[in-house]
Amino acid sequence: VTAGAATQLAVSRQPSAIAASGAVLATQPKIQLQDQFGNPVAEAGKLVVAALTSAGGRTLSGTVAVPTDTAGVATFTNVAIGGPTGSTTLTFTQEALTAATSGAINVTAGAAAKLAVSQQPSATATSGAVLAPQPKIQLQDQFGNPVAEAGKLVVAALTSTVGRTLGGTVAVPTDAAGVATFTNLAISGPTGVTTLTFTQDALTAATSSAIEVTAGAAAKLAVSQQPSAIAAAGAVLAPQPKIQLQDQFG
């Protein structure tokens, strides 16, 4: 008794049960042609196409259409799932044959590729005072999934200084969740709008939302209008002086 005509597909080798987003699956699937009774059908040249059963914002890359060999097996070599983390499956089709679906694949975060501001710093900041709240920076893969990796040193800086300085601990390592939590950053200098930029080696940097720097507490006096350079004895000065309260940064 020999196998009948091919009527269905079967997954003869399951893909990896866990896959990093964007990385080639460590175990690639193999698909077998079968007859209606589940017997392997040795027939070459049948093009088997792989696709995500439900995309859920993910994409399937690599060579997704593979012909069967003389044993009736389509061997995939470089398929990868990119996108959000979570569970998915692959579906394999070949024209009129009954399709096959893989076991569940748990997509996990890929390698860290960029930084993201997970908690924005204060939208308004008093010059010289510690920001409240302080920024938090999250490592992410290329698809925006959080990457849990400790010990990556994230450095904060003013995007454009314009006479301002950034004080406090400006270099903070990520924790086990891949988050760098700043605790005492303060912007000092002239009032106006600025932003913070966060960098980490070769990763794509992140920039905070706008921060409006306002004047700090009064610390000194300044003559904003000088009195007359020449004054007649006993006569009222013209002009009269004006005195401005200023914070420590003027």
Side-chain angles (χ1 to χ4, degrees):
V1 179
T2 59
T7 61
Q8 60 187 359
L9 301 177
V11 182
S12 56
R13 184 173 71 189
Q14 291 287 343
S16 310
I18 300 174
S21 184
V24 172
L25 299 179
T27 302
Q28 293 283 314
K30 289 185 177 182
I31 307 303
Q32 173 71 62
L33 300 180
Q34 290 184 345
D35 66 14
Q36 60 180 315
F37 302 105
N39 299 307
V41 176
E43 185 177 354
K46 294 290 189 181
L47 198 65
V48 177
V49 178
L52 289 163
T53 308
S54 177
R58 304 180 186 94
T59 57
L60 184 66
S61 60
T63 305
V64 297
V66 175
T68 56
D69 58 20
T70 53
V73 176
T75 302
F76 292 82
T77 59
N78 62 354
V79 293
I81 302 169
T85 59
S87 184
T88 190
T89 57
L90 298 179
T91 294
F92 302 92
T93 57
Q94 200 287 317
E95 294 181 354
L97 302 188
T98 301
T101 300
S102 74
I105 303 168
N106 182 28
V107 180
T108 61
K114 60 183 178 179
L115 302 177
V117 182
S118 57
Q119 177 173 290
Q120 292 288 344
S122 315
T124 304
T126 301
S127 182
V130 172
L131 300 176
Q134 292 280 314
K136 292 184 179 182
I137 308 302
Q138 173 71 62
L139 300 180
Q140 292 185 343
D141 67 13
Q142 61 179 313
F143 303 103
N145 297 308
V147 176
E149 184 176 355
K152 294 289 189 182
L153 197 65
V154 178
V155 178
L158 289 163
T159 308
S160 177
T161 58
V162 193
R164 303 183 186 96
T165 58
L166 183 64
T169 305
V170 297
V172 174
T174 55
D175 60 19
V179 177
T181 302
F182 291 84
T183 58
N184 62 353
L185 296 180
I187 302 171
S188 301
T191 59
V193 176
T194 190
T195 56
L196 299 178
T197 295
F198 302 91
T199 56
Q200 198 287 318
D201 292 345
L203 303 188
T204 301
T207 301
S208 75
S209 55
I211 305 167
E212 183 182 0
V213 180
T214 60
K220 60 184 178 179
L221 301 176
V223 181
S224 58
Q225 179 174 290
Q226 293 290 339
S228 312
I230 300 173
V236 173
L237 298 176
Q240 292 282 312
K242 292 183 179 179
I243 307 301
Q244 174 68 60
L245 297 178
Q246 291 185 344
D247 67 13
Q248 60 178 315
F249 304 102

